[in-house]
Amino acid sequence: MLDASGPPVIDFDRWRFRLAGLVEKAVEWDWKEFQLLPRVKVFADFHCVTRWSRLGNLWEGVTTRELVQRAGGAKPEARFVTVHGYDRGWTTNLPLEDFLSEDALVAFLHDGDAISGEHGGPARLIVPRLYAWKSAKWVAGVELTEQDQPGFWESNGYHMRGDPWKEERYSV
Ligand SMILES: Nc1nc2c(c(=O)[nH]1)N[C@H]1C(S)=C(S)[C@@H](COP(=O)(O)O)O[C@H]1N2
Ligand SMILES: [Mo]
């Protein structure tokens, strides 16, 4: 499906990424601080639920594992995450285990270039093992939770997990 709304205007000076909820200590990074974190490159395909895929993307950014570690780790009761976008309160939910998969990252480069506004820049979540709607564009923060809370598309019938290999498209 298409985006819920168009690209929000995001000013680098005001950009923040916040990791909160069931972590040992909530952390917030501004753009400069975020750029100083250790980076990785992840080469992955991207599968939209409406059946298109974009193969062979090179993403560069900070792993979700690195970010959670810098927040002192997840509390034992944390089992899910809610990811927030800068586009008018858009959210998506996914299991913490998928969020912390080895190849999941908050990316700011795609094939070597800054991610465009259209594609979720300045930074977006990338979770290659799940359908693309879980890969929140214009990411603003992530909250670890105990209960699974449906996000925007999930409230409209999309799957709570969304594994393309199991074709988990809809929850009904
Ligand atoms: N914040 C936010 N992230 C979002 C969406 C959205 O509406 N808002 N749409 C999702 C959907 S349905 C898809 S298929 C992908 C599309 O990413 P692309 O525009 O880079 O191809 O972004 C996902 N991430
Ligand atoms: Mo989509």
Side-chain angles (χ1 to χ4, degrees):
M1 48 288 188
L2 299 170
D3 296 332
S5 57
V9 176
I10 304 168
D11 180 348
F12 282 102
D13 290 340
R14 295 175 66 189
W15 183 91
R16 298 285 184 279
F17 179 81
R18 187 173 162 77
L19 191 54
L22 298 173
V23 286
E24 291 302 334
K25 66 172 172 42
V27 189
E28 194 175 85
W29 292 270
D30 65 19
W31 185 255
K32 275 190 189 155
E33 292 163 342
F34 202 80
Q35 296 297 308
L36 295 174
L37 297 174
R39 296 181 184 197
V40 295
K41 290 179 184 174
V42 170
F43 191 70
D45 297 340
F46 200 52
H47 307 282
C48 178
V49 72
T50 49
R51 290 159 205 267
W52 57 264
S53 293
R54 197 165 56 235
L55 307 178
N57 303 280
L58 182 65
W59 303 104
E60 194 169 337
V62 184
T63 64
T64 52
R65 289 185 181 184
E66 177 76 39
L67 296 167
V68 169
Q69 197 186 318
R70 281 166 190 264
K75 289 192 172 165
E77 61 273 28
R79 291 189 49 227
F80 298 94
V81 303
T82 292
V83 190
H84 298 263
Y86 276 105
D87 49 338
R88 300 197 210 144
W90 187 93
T91 60
T92 188
N93 58 300
L94 55 148
L96 180 62
E97 195 189 331
D98 292 315
F99 176 74
L100 291 178
S101 54
E102 196 176 34
D103 55 357
L105 74 163
V106 173
F108 41 81
L109 296 178
H110 175 250
D111 292 339
D113 296 321
I115 297 176
S116 67
E118 186 198 346
H119 289 298
R124 74 177 299 171
L125 180 67
I126 293 292
V127 182
R129 71 152 84 158
L130 299 180
Y131 276 124
W133 91 82
K134 302 288 186 182
S135 287
K137 307 207 272 192
W138 315 296
V139 71
V142 175
E143 196 187 330
L144 278 64
T145 62
E146 189 171 354
Q147 309 292 336
D148 200 6
Q149 290 154 4
F152 181 84
W153 294 117
E154 294 81 3
S155 300
N156 288 288
Y158 281 84
H159 204 278
M160 295 293 265
R161 176 153 187 260
D163 180 343
W165 310 113
K166 296 185 185 151
E167 304 210 14
E168 291 174 342
R169 293 191 172 89
Y170 314 105
S171 52
V172 284

